[in-house]
Amino acid sequence: MKIGMVSVLSIAVTSACGTKSTTAWCVDRMAPPTGLTKGGYKVVPDAYCDTREIENGSVGYNRYFWYYGGKRDRYGYVRGGGYSAPRSHRIKSSSGHSLIRGGFGGHGRSGG
């Protein structure tokens, strides 16, 4: 019976921690909108942004910064998100790298 209870508990904890994730988009503040987009920020490669901003929970004020959530359109612009990362969500970059893990007050870092 103990093994069954431990399994059920571990599944419940895993489900509670791993269900929500937010995408962090590295965006260019200075990119002009194209004729077909109405606002939003141009998504650029993750290497342009500083992952320490995510780890520290700070907002970058440089040309390139992390933008959380939202949807990317077919022209490469993202909108509908925000400047602050949700604390209780797992953050992953648009390229799929896990950048930070929320919940239980813990932080995880990607290698690098």
Side-chain angles (χ1 to χ4, degrees):
M1 271 314 231
K2 286 183 180 181
I3 292 175
M5 292 295 284
V6 170
S7 297
V8 170
L9 180 59
S10 66
I11 291 170
V13 169
T14 302
S15 297
C17 292
T19 57
K20 296 190 179 194
S21 67
T22 297
T23 300
W25 305 91
C26 182
V27 297
D28 182 352
R29 180 187 314 271
M30 307 297 274
T34 64
L36 299 174
T37 61
K38 297 177 180 164
Y41 292 104
K42 177 72 175 166
V43 177
V44 296
D46 293 347
Y48 286 100
C49 290
D50 187 352
T51 57
R52 289 176 295 186
E53 291 172 359
I54 293 174
E55 294 165 0
N56 297 330
S58 62
V59 177
Y61 294 99
N62 297 317
R63 177 175 181 166
Y64 305 104
F65 66 98
W66 294 104
Y67 189 76
Y68 303 96
K71 298 282 184 195
R72 182 178 181 173
D73 66 19
R74 64 183 177 153
Y75 304 105
Y77 283 74
V78 64
R79 52 193 153 131
Y83 302 104
S84 300
R87 294 197 184 275
S88 62
H89 292 195
R90 183 174 63 96
I91 306 298
K92 62 183 175 92
S93 71
S94 59
S95 61
H97 292 96
S98 181
L99 302 173
I100 192 169
R101 186 176 300 273
F104 292 111
H107 287 72
R109 291 186 174 185
S110 62

